């Protein structure tokens, strides 16, 4: 279905419903959205445009109440988002939706069965399928749909915000799974090696860029949710190093620790993706310019993560 022009004149009873059911409530709803998202937001909908798609029932007879119901559903879902992702998540959403506007439009691309949401020209745009205006209203901004919209949002124009090298999903997973745990893991490694200032370098941007390229390959076997687990899997590589250091008894053998410090003179462990492995089929470790690298290829990212440091003694 192609988009239709706005209806020039609405029936009197409908205009009254729009006035009483939406216009009189608009500022209150905008304030609720603004309170949740911590910055001023507005709602920009055109009832004359929406009425062109109202076939029958709720949207046809009570369009003002229908618009209010969509915004009420958005308020509920945005509150859920704020509770789930906190201050950093709100900053992300406000940056991605840089106009701070909620709008409504026809899903002419037929992406959703009933309704959904995307980010269009910096606006958070509620979408309804042809013939489905007023149907399943509360589901338009369901968590999964909203997160997908934020993750797939086009980059902001130059000057609106700085371009992010990682997707929304990747950044969210790093905040949730990686950042709260990495210091504890780093301390464990430092204790085993008797080097409390050991440094862990995840190289997220490089990993993301290479996995993104792999995900676009025609016959890729990369897991579809790779963005959603980027931080978590990097954490697993560090935990695998901890396990190998314990298994190889670095904590009990001063000679092994001395050998490690001599070889890894920069006191830094990093993760990286390489084009080809030298010693193993899935993942391995390598010492390069005084740093210890845990490494794999894009095709085997996340596979056998505990084995990445298995050949550590042989590399020293």
């Amino acid at each position: 279905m192609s988009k239709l022009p706005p209806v020039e004149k609405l029936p009197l009873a409908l205009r009254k419903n729009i006035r009483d059911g939406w216009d009189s409530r608009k500022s209150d709803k905008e304030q609720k959205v603004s309170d949740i998202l911590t910055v001023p937001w507005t709602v920009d909908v055109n009832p004359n445009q929406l009425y062109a798609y109202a076939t029958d029932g709720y949207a046809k007879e009570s369009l003002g109440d229908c618009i209010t119901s969509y915004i009420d559903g958005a308020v509920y879902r945005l509150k859920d988002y704020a509770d789930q992702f906190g201050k950093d998540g709100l900053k992300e959403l406000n940056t991605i939706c840089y106009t701070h506007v909620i709008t409504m439009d026809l899903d002419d691309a037929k992406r959703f069965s009933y309704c959904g949401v995307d980010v269009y020209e910096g606006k958070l745009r509620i979408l309804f399928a042809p013939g489905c205006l007023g149907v399943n209203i509360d589901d338009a901004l369901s968590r999964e749909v909203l997160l997908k919209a934020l993750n797939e949002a086009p980059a902001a124009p130059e000057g609106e915000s700085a371009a992010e090298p990682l997707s929304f999903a990747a950044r969210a997973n790093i905040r949730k799974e990686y950042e709260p745990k990495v210091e504890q893991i780093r301390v464990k490694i430092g204790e085993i090696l008797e080097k409390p200032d050991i440094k862990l370098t995840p190289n997220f941007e490089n990993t993301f860029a290479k996995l993104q390229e792999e995900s676009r390959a025609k016959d890729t076997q990369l897991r579809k949710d790779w963005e959603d687990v980027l931080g978590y899997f990097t954490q697993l590589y560090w935990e695998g190093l901890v396990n190998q250091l314990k298994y190889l008894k670095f904590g009990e053998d001063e000679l092994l620790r001395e050998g490690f410090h001599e070889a890894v003179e920069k006191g830094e462990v990093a993760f990286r993706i390489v084009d080809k492995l030298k010693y193993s089929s899935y993942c391995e470790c390598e010492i390069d310019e005084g740093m210890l690298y845990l490494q794999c290829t894009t095709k085997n990212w996340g596979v056998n993560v505990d084995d990445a440091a298995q050949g550590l003694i042989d590399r020293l």
Side-chain angles (χ1 to χ4, degrees):
M1 180 179 183
S2 58
K3 292 189 176 182
L4 302 174
V7 176
E8 290 188 11
K9 187 174 182 179
L10 303 177
L12 177 62
L14 188 66
R15 296 204 304 271
K16 182 179 184 301
N17 180 263
I18 292 170
R19 182 195 67 186
D20 298 341
W22 168 241
D23 290 341
S24 65
R25 303 174 181 176
K26 180 174 182 287
S27 61
D28 176 63
K29 302 305 178 185
E30 288 177 331
Q31 188 60 53
K32 286 185 177 180
V33 173
S34 300
D35 289 344
I36 293 169
L37 301 182
T38 70
V39 297
W41 274 65
T42 58
V43 179
D44 182 15
V45 296
N46 183 348
N48 293 60
Q49 177 67 79
L50 296 179
Y51 190 66
Y53 305 111
T55 53
D56 53 30
Y58 190 34
K60 189 80 171 179
E61 299 168 4
S62 303
L63 183 59
D65 294 325
C66 181
I67 294 171
T68 295
S69 294
Y70 272 105
I71 303 307
D72 282 341
V75 166
Y76 176 80
R77 297 294 188 175
L78 290 171
K79 178 65 166 60
D80 173 72
Y81 172 90
D83 291 342
Q84 178 72 17
F85 293 97
K87 182 179 178 180
D88 289 335
L90 291 174
K91 183 179 178 181
E92 290 264 12
L93 189 150
N94 285 321
T95 299
I96 293 169
C97 304
Y98 55 87
T99 65
H100 302 161
V101 173
I102 295 177
T103 187
M104 292 180 63
D105 204 351
L106 176 74
D107 178 22
D108 55 340
K110 298 181 179 179
R111 285 173 285 176
F112 303 102
S113 299
Y114 299 103
C115 58
V117 69
D118 71 356
V119 178
Y120 179 73
E121 296 182 347
K123 299 177 182 179
L124 190 61
R125 184 171 64 165
I126 297 172
L127 298 170
F128 51 88
C132 293
L133 180 62
V135 179
N136 290 7
I137 288 172
D138 289 340
D139 295 337
L141 270 71
S142 62
R143 184 184 297 179
E144 182 178 344
V145 174
L146 177 58
L147 296 183
K148 187 173 187 292
L150 295 175
N151 198 50
E152 295 178 351
E158 186 176 354
E160 294 291 348
S161 63
E164 290 283 356
L166 304 178
S167 69
F168 169 82
R171 295 193 301 271
N173 184 255
I174 290 168
R175 282 197 306 271
K176 182 180 179 181
E177 299 289 349
Y178 183 85
E179 292 178 354
K181 302 172 183 176
V182 65
E183 178 59 15
Q184 183 179 3
I185 297 172
R186 190 197 68 78
V187 169
K188 285 183 182 178
I189 295 173
E191 290 174 348
I192 295 171
L193 295 173
E194 294 189 358
K195 186 171 180 57
D197 61 344
I198 192 81
K199 182 179 180 182
L200 301 181
T201 302
N203 286 325
F204 286 126
E205 293 180 12
N206 181 267
T207 299
F208 182 88
K210 291 189 174 182
L211 292 179
Q212 186 176 60
E213 182 179 0
E214 173 64 25
S215 71
R216 294 168 177 167
K218 183 178 180 180
D219 298 322
T220 184
Q221 295 184 10
L222 181 67
R223 53 189 297 155
K224 293 181 179 179
D225 65 345
W226 65 271
E227 293 174 84
D228 298 320
V229 294
L230 182 66
Y232 175 61
F233 272 29
T234 305
Q235 170 202 318
L236 292 182
Y237 278 101
W238 298 150
E239 290 180 350
L241 174 60
V242 171
N243 293 335
Q244 287 295 330
L245 290 173
K246 289 180 178 179
Y247 177 76
L248 296 171
K249 301 187 184 304
F250 271 77
E252 304 171 24
D253 195 320
E254 183 178 356
L255 183 62
L256 290 178
R257 293 195 299 274
E258 288 179 359
F260 182 94
H261 299 319
E262 288 174 3
V264 188
E265 58 185 351
K266 291 184 178 179
E268 183 174 350
V269 183
F271 177 80
R272 68 182 178 185
I273 289 181
V274 295
D275 294 331
K276 187 177 181 180
L277 297 177
K278 298 180 181 179
Y279 312 107
S280 179
S281 300
Y282 298 104
C283 55
E284 64 187 19
C285 63
E286 177 70 295
I287 295 174
D288 186 7
E289 296 185 352
M291 292 175 56
L292 172 64
Y293 287 93
L294 306 183
Q295 57 192 35
C296 67
T297 63
T298 55
K299 297 185 183 302
N300 293 312
W301 177 76
V303 178
N304 293 1
V305 294
D306 274 346
D307 297 340
Q310 197 170 51
L312 178 57
I313 293 179
D314 294 332
R315 307 287 99 76
L316 299 178

